[in-house]
Every structure is written in C-alpha cells, then in structure tokens.
C-alpha cells in the first residue's frame, strides 16, 4: 500500500530534530528545475509563483543560495501546512516512522516524489505553476508518468489523500489493474456532499496519523477512522471513493 499526499507551501529548516535517511529519487530532475528557475528575473519568477513581494523575495533568495545536498530537513518535518500539523509527525514513535517511511509518499512539483525521511530544502514550486521547461508546457508534462510509476511500484494499492492539483499526476496514468481509493471528507448540505478545503486538509492529516498508529495494511481498516468526528458513510461510498462525513 502507498499513501499519497500533497506538499505544503510553507516550509522550514530543522536539521537537529531528525536525521535524513535518503535523498529524493528524482534529484537530477530537481537540479534541472533549480537551474531553470535561477535563469528567471525577479519579476518573472514572482509571476510564476503568483505571490506577494515578501514571499517572492524569500524564495528568490532561496533558489540562488540553494544547496540540494547540505543542511537538509526530512521532508515530513519540513512541510508546515495544515495537513502536516494535524498529522504531527514530530511525535511519531519509532514504529510509526517506520510505517510512514514505507507507505507514505509526498508528491511535489519540485522533487517529484518524496519519502518522509528524504532530505529536502525549502522551495516554492507548485505543480500547477505555468512552467514551460525544455520542450514541456508545464510540470505535469515534465514529470509525465514517472510519479505514477514510482508510487505504483509493483501494483500496490494507492490511497489518495492528496489534493486534485497533485492527485491528477497519478490519476492520468491509472489502468484497470490499479486499486486506487480516494478519501473524501465532507458534510451534507442541501442534499449534496460538500468538501471544505481546510477541514479536508485537517482530516487528511488525521487519517495519516490513524494509519500510522494502527499500521493499516488493509483498506477495509480505513473505514474505522473516526478522527475529528468523521465517520465512514457506507451509502455514499464506492470501491474507489471512501466518503467520511461529519
């Protein structure tokens, strides 16, 4: 089983809390992206990121000072988004770390696919950025089917806890042989199921924590999740979409 999640925009550097246990599998491609971004002017890269001056200045400096081999932080500790806060990897015990290292994969526009203990440095590059690199019109084309191949492995079940921006990197290449389950966290409103962004991110983090704590290997066990008052909705779910409602 593999679990896929999205990265977060906000990142930190923490070289003291945990040691890195490997390097990103697509690091040579990351080097290409780094050098490509360094050719941009400040205004060009600010437009690419679509952010304010404070964030643009920080990340413009980061790319020009970036070392992809030194002073690295384990990926799961480096990202600071809501999903990661609710996952709380800082308090994982040894067995939980072993579980996520084996099962969890972070999809990234810059690094491709990351294991939790892969060493990373802070960056800004979202998968949906309008990045025309080499002969590719965007990052989806740049990465192609390689992220799917890395996550799928030898035909493993994939549990999707990523946003649409990132899950489409995998879904585009799924075949009839793949077992792919998307978890939806929502609430009923006006006869429809509505999934709110912040609450969904919180629940995704809680789900990873639940899976790590219980060493989940069978997707049937996902149905026992009750974090943040969510419960599995049998009538709303299918073989490929597990719906949890509050």
């Amino acid at each position: 089983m593999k679990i896929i999640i999205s990265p977060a925009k906000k990142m930190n550097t923490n070289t003291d809390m945990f040691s890195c246990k490997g390097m990103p599998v697509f690091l040579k491609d990351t080097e290409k992206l780094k050098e490509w971004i360094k050719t941009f002017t400040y205004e060009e890269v600010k437009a690419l990121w679509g952010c304010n001056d404070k964030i643009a200045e920080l990340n413009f400096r980061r790319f020009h000072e970036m070392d992809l081999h030194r002073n690295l932080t384990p990926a799961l500790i480096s990202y600071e988004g809501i999903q990661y806060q609710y996952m709380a990897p800082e308090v994982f015990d040894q067995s939980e770390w072993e579980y996520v290292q084996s099962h969890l994969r972070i999809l990234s526009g810059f690094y491709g696919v990351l294991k939790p203990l892969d060493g990373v440095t802070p960056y800004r590059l979202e998968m949906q950025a309008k990045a025309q690199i080499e002969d590719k019109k965007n990052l989806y084309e740049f990465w192609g089917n390689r992220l799917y191949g890395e996550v799928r492995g030898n035909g493993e079940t994939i549990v999707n806890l990523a946003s649409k921006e990132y899950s489409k990197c995998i879904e585009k290449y799924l075949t009839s042989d793949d077992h792919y389950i998307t978890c939806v966290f929502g609430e009923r409103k006006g006869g429809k199921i509505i999934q709110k962004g912040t609450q969904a991110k919180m629940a995704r983090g809680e789900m990873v924590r639940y899976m790590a704590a219980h060493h989940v290997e069978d997707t049937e066990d996902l149905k026992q999740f009750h974090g943040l008052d969510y419960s599995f909705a049998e009538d709303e779910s299918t073989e490929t979409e597990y719906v949890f409602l509050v």
Side-chain angles (χ1 to χ4, degrees):
M1 179 189 293
K2 287 293 184 290
I3 311 156
I4 57 171
I5 62 174
S6 305
K9 293 179 183 178
K10 189 176 181 181
M11 299 180 70
N12 69 75
T13 299
N14 188 331
T15 58
D16 299 323
M17 185 178 294
F18 293 93
S19 298
C20 300
K21 295 288 179 65
M23 297 294 285
V25 65
F26 296 118
L27 192 58
K28 288 183 179 179
D29 296 285
T30 303
E31 291 273 10
K32 287 183 186 179
L33 290 170
K34 181 191 79 167
E35 294 304 317
W36 169 72
I37 288 176
K38 286 172 66 177
T39 66
F40 280 51
T41 65
Y42 172 76
E43 292 300 329
E44 288 172 334
V45 81
K46 180 185 174 185
L48 175 70
W49 292 327
C51 60
N52 61 35
D53 279 312
K54 182 178 180 181
I55 294 172
E57 289 167 3
L58 170 64
N59 286 282
F60 185 76
R61 184 175 69 251
R62 277 175 169 171
F63 271 96
H64 283 271
E65 297 173 350
M66 186 176 286
D67 188 330
L68 296 174
H69 299 271
R70 294 183 178 84
N71 298 320
L72 305 178
T73 303
L76 203 60
I77 299 297
S78 185
Y79 293 110
E80 289 189 336
I82 294 170
Q83 180 173 5
Y84 294 84
Q85 293 170 23
Y86 277 76
M87 192 189 312
E90 296 88 349
V91 295
F92 279 174
D93 63 25
Q94 182 64 31
S95 68
E96 290 167 336
W97 270 111
E98 291 172 359
Y99 177 89
V100 294
Q101 180 70 359
S102 175
H103 294 81
L104 185 66
R105 296 295 180 265
I106 305 165
L107 305 179
S108 164
F110 188 53
Y111 281 105
V113 177
L114 291 164
K115 295 180 180 179
L117 291 172
D118 282 351
V120 301
T121 192
Y123 68 91
R124 187 180 182 91
L125 188 63
E126 296 173 53
M127 189 65 78
Q128 62 188 2
K130 296 178 180 178
Q132 296 182 351
I133 177 172
E134 298 176 337
D135 60 341
K136 312 301 183 184
K137 65 181 181 181
N138 54 42
L139 289 171
Y140 294 107
E141 282 195 6
F142 176 80
W143 290 112
N145 67 354
R146 291 178 294 162
L147 309 192
Y148 161 75
E150 180 66 21
V151 169
R152 184 181 188 273
N154 296 317
E156 296 185 68
T157 295
I158 301 172
V159 177
N160 173 28
L161 294 175
S163 66
K164 290 183 179 179
E165 176 185 354
Y166 288 90
S167 60
K168 67 189 290 185
C169 302
I170 307 299
E171 291 171 356
K172 181 178 179 180
Y173 303 100
L174 293 172
T175 72
S176 58
D177 294 329
D178 290 313
H179 187 204
Y180 182 86
I181 298 173
T182 296
C183 293
V184 174
F185 302 95
E187 57 185 270
R188 285 192 180 91
K189 277 196 174 181
K192 297 181 179 180
I193 294 176
I194 305 298
Q195 184 170 228
K196 297 181 178 178
T198 299
Q199 285 81 358
K201 290 176 183 178
M202 292 161 57
R204 290 169 185 154
E206 288 274 349
M207 177 62 90
V208 174
R209 165 158 285 285
Y210 165 80
M211 294 178 76
H214 294 85
H215 293 195
V216 172
E217 299 287 351
D218 187 335
T219 54
E220 283 295 307
D221 293 335
L222 297 178
K223 299 176 182 180
Q224 304 305 313
F225 174 75
H226 292 290
L228 301 177
D229 294 326
Y230 283 95
S231 59
F232 180 68
E234 185 83 43
D235 294 343
E236 303 289 351
S237 300
T238 66
E239 289 185 1
T240 58
E241 185 173 88
Y242 285 6
V243 177
F244 299 84
L245 300 176
V246 289

